[in-house]
Amino acid sequence: MADRPGDHWDRRVAQGLAFLRRRLSGDYEVDEFGFDPDLTDAIFHPLVRLLYRDWFRTEVGGVEHVPVDGAGLVVGNHSGTVALDALVLSAALHDRHPQHRYLRLLGADLVFRMPVVSELARKTGGTVACNPDAERLLGNGELVGVFPEGFKGVGKLYADRYKLQRFGRGGFVSAALRTGTPIVPVAIVGGEEIYPMLADIKPLARLLKLPYFPVTPTFPWLGPLGMVPLPSKWLIEFCPPIPTAHLRDSADDPLVVFNLADQVRETIQQTLHKLLERRPDPFGP
């Protein structure tokens, strides 16, 4: 039977009141990293869902390649001047995965030094991008998300869009090898166009102790309005997993780590090329 007019809002109000009751009574759980699934489901994911579904019109493919259960290391390309790709990937994966799994994101130290942002990152499942934390999460059977390009990927100029930057020292590969965790490469198209970086004012970045200070078509010219992301069309594609269990004894072998990191990087780069062919117009339907 179809819902009566107003039933939807009645449910929303009831859910909101139930959430407030849980928060006031302390009837919710937080894990050792500070992750709060109740807050994530009630506040964070609904907000990001509006963004990725309605504003970016995101299409997601290859979710069947993400483990149904047990550990998995999801490795993606980074872009966008502001790292919305990490938030979108986390919410989209949770919504589209048959088991609605959470993606535990690894973030740069800067994220966890910023007031408010640090607390939000912890509450929504994030932790510092270091091998001990990554290995603990993987050892607990979690899905872990990492963007090895770091600030080099997020802060690159628009002229270098969709060209993957160097993958650092391959620490993510070592964590996967030590825990025998499959690596799932994921390619994300759309983030490069939300805040096209035309220039980086390095002296101002150094003054503010930031990795870069972006100049985009709308920022800083339009002030706060310049922070509104452009409505680019997003495509997210999860690639077939790369097994690592047979290489556990090679976690400290630099050659094995480098070759595996290069394989992941090349897989993402080639998938980006294919997605860009599918999406010739960044702002099309």
Side-chain angles (χ1 to χ4, degrees):
M1 185 173 66
D3 288 347
R4 295 174 301 169
D7 281 355
H8 171 72
W9 290 108
D10 288 344
R11 284 197 300 271
R12 295 288 294 271
V13 170
Q15 290 169 357
L17 291 173
F19 172 73
L20 288 175
R21 272 196 304 270
R22 290 194 301 273
R23 306 311 290 187
L24 292 172
S25 65
D27 186 21
Y28 59 92
E29 295 183 359
V30 176
D31 74 6
E32 59 182 312
F33 293 92
F35 177 43
D36 186 338
D38 184 55
L39 183 70
T40 300
D41 288 340
I43 304 296
F44 174 70
H45 279 166
L47 290 175
V48 181
R49 188 174 297 124
L50 291 174
L51 190 66
Y52 89 73
R53 184 185 61 193
D54 300 328
W55 190 247
F56 295 142
R57 310 174 310 286
T58 306
E59 295 179 17
V60 182
V63 177
E64 67 276 8
H65 297 310
V66 180
V68 174
D69 52 34
L73 184 64
V74 179
V75 182
N77 58 296
H78 223 7
S79 65
T81 305
V82 176
L84 291 183
D85 48 10
L87 307 183
V88 167
L89 179 65
S90 176
L93 174 57
H94 178 269
D95 287 354
R96 303 301 175 87
H97 193 279
Q99 299 301 317
H100 299 295
R101 299 196 66 183
Y102 297 106
L103 185 64
R104 308 299 296 272
L105 294 169
L106 303 181
D109 291 349
L110 177 64
V111 172
F112 296 94
R113 294 199 305 266
M114 299 170 65
V116 181
V117 173
S118 172
E119 185 68 14
L120 286 174
R122 291 283 185 189
K123 289 288 187 183
T124 54
T127 191
V128 178
C130 64
N131 272 32
D133 279 7
E135 290 173 25
R136 282 166 62 199
L137 286 167
L138 293 172
N140 291 339
E142 301 281 0
L143 278 183
V144 175
V146 63
F147 295 86
E149 293 173 282
F151 288 123
K152 296 190 301 293
V154 184
K156 63 179 176 289
L157 297 177
Y158 187 66
D160 297 322
R161 61 193 179 278
Y162 301 115
K163 297 176 184 177
L164 264 65
Q165 306 299 296
R166 193 170 61 86
F167 267 19
R169 301 177 181 175
F172 71 96
V173 170
S174 298
L177 291 175
R178 287 194 177 90
T179 55
T181 299
I183 299 174
V184 182
V186 59
I188 305 170
V189 161
E192 300 280 17
E193 291 87 15
I194 59 174
Y195 303 109
M197 189 189 294
L198 306 179
D200 175 13
I201 306 178
K202 296 185 185 298
L204 192 52
R206 286 194 294 269
L207 179 65
L208 298 174
K209 298 182 179 179
L210 297 173
Y212 51 86
F213 189 90
V215 175
T216 77
T218 59
F219 182 85
W221 326 113
L222 300 183
L225 284 177
M227 294 301 295
V228 177
L230 298 178
S232 57
K233 169 72 176 179
W234 283 47
L235 302 175
I236 298 176
E237 186 71 27
F238 294 94
C239 305
I242 300 171
T244 68
H246 62 295
L247 296 171
R248 294 185 73 156
D249 294 336
S250 303
D252 295 317
D253 186 329
L255 185 59
V256 172
V257 171
F258 174 82
N259 286 339
L260 192 51
D262 193 55
Q263 180 184 352
V264 174
R265 185 178 181 279
E266 186 62 23
T267 298
I268 297 172
Q269 185 68 78
Q270 293 303 317
T271 306
L272 286 174
H273 291 324
K274 293 176 183 177
L275 294 178
L276 288 168
E277 289 177 0
R278 278 177 49 195
R279 193 215 63 166
D281 180 1
F283 300 100

